[in-house]
């Protein structure tokens, strides 16, 4: 489902070049729940950004369902990301001036998938999936951190992506809310067959994944 080939990311800094990811090969099967772990600075987030189509690799390829996403035009890559990849970031990343419902609707509106009524109906279903249909009219500032994260998950699922990327999705949450969010992500993985790729420094969270990928100094290590 996901394949990285000779993937590399180099950053130019005032102190010279930094190789965050160095010629990495990685394969993730469809429907798998995999966790990427490693120390801060190991290259986890750089890898995730390239897989998600947010940061262009210095070298190498990222294939999702056989499509080399970095060979697409800028517009083509944006459309592919919107339709096939869902994101749950470390922070809630909701637009503060939009209601929860509006935030969830955004990916479908950008993709032009359905009429306004159909999109709203589907967004309400996604909010119901995460237990927040009663908060559809709430603005992000009116929601708790955990509720905001649930809205982000609902938004990530709006276009029924094949791949769900979660980059430290619970790092700023209390333990109870963390358990609830991780249980929700795991349920999505199982019930929908969505491939789930989690980046975390929390080994107890990673231990619940079907596969654990260790990264150090920009490469996969045994």
């Amino acid at each position: 489902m996901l394949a990285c080939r000779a993937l590399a990311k180099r950053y130019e800094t005032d102190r010279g070049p930094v190789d965050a990811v160095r010629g990495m090969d990685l394969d993730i099967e469809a429907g798998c729940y995999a966790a990427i772990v490693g120390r801060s600075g190991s290259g986890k987030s750089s890898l995730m950004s390239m897989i998600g189509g947010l940061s262009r690799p210095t070298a190498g390829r990222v294939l999702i369902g056989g499509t080399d996403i970095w060979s697409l035009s800028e517009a083509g890559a944006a459309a592919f990301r919107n339709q096939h990849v869902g994101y749950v970031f470390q922070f809630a990343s909701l637009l503060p001036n939009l209601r929860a419902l509006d935030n969830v609707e955004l990916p479908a509106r950008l993709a032009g998938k359905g009429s306004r009524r159909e999109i709203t109906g589907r967004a309400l279903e996604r909010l119901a999936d995460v237990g927040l249909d009663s908060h559809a009219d709430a603005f992000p500032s009116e929601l708790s951190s955990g509720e905001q994260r649930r809205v982000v998950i609902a938004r990530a699922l709006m276009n029924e992506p094949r791949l769900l990327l979660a980059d430290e999705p619970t790092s700023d949450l209390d333990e109870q809310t963390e358990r609830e969010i991780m249980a929700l992500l795991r349920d999505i993985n199982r019930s929908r067959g969505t491939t789930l790729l989690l980046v975390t420094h929390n080994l107890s969270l990673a231990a619940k994944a079907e596969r654990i990928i260790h990264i150090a100094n920009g490469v996969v290590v045994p």
Side-chain angles (χ1 to χ4, degrees), residues 20-212:
V21 178
R22 301 183 292 136
M24 187 181 296
D25 291 327
L26 180 64
D27 291 278
I28 304 293
E29 295 181 357
C32 179
Y33 170 23
I36 296 176
V37 298
R39 292 184 175 181
S40 177
S42 62
K44 303 187 304 298
S45 291
S46 292
L47 173 62
M48 189 72 97
S49 293
M50 290 187 288
I51 289 174
L54 301 176
S55 177
R56 181 174 291 277
T58 305
R61 305 166 69 202
V62 175
L63 297 99
I64 298 176
T67 297
D68 184 351
I69 63 173
W70 289 109
S71 70
L72 301 173
S73 66
E74 185 174 344
F80 185 90
R81 287 194 306 266
N82 188 42
Q83 294 184 38
H84 299 290
V85 183
Y87 302 89
V88 182
F89 296 106
Q90 183 174 1
F91 302 106
S93 67
L94 297 174
L95 296 179
N97 60 327
L98 296 182
R99 302 172 303 162
L101 178 64
D102 302 320
N103 269 283
V104 175
E105 288 180 352
L106 274 178
R109 293 198 180 282
L110 290 172
K113 297 185 68 172
S115 67
R116 182 179 183 88
R117 185 172 183 176
E118 289 169 339
I119 290 173
T120 297
R122 194 158 73 250
L124 287 171
E125 290 175 359
R126 297 294 80 79
L127 283 169
D129 290 342
V130 300
L132 282 180
D133 47 319
S134 62
H135 291 61
D137 291 329
F139 288 91
S141 61
E142 299 171 322
L143 301 171
S144 69
S145 296
E147 288 170 339
Q148 290 183 41
R149 203 60 42 88
R150 287 175 178 269
V151 174
V152 170
I153 294 172
R155 182 179 63 186
L157 296 175
M158 188 60 184
N159 287 340
E160 300 182 351
R162 292 182 284 173
L163 176 63
L164 184 60
L165 304 177
D167 189 358
E168 299 280 8
T170 63
S171 61
D172 60 336
L173 303 178
D174 61 79
E175 291 184 7
Q176 176 60 33
T177 305
E178 176 181 78
R179 285 192 293 270
E180 293 172 357
I181 295 300
M182 290 309 304
L184 177 58
L185 290 173
R186 183 58 169 142
D187 180 66
I188 290 165
N189 164 249
R190 287 173 171 164
S191 63
R192 297 172 180 264
T194 305
T195 305
L196 174 60
L197 187 58
L198 169 74
V199 164
T200 183
H201 66 278
N202 188 326
L203 295 180
S204 65
L205 292 182
K208 298 177 182 178
E210 298 169 347
R211 180 182 174 194
I212 302 176

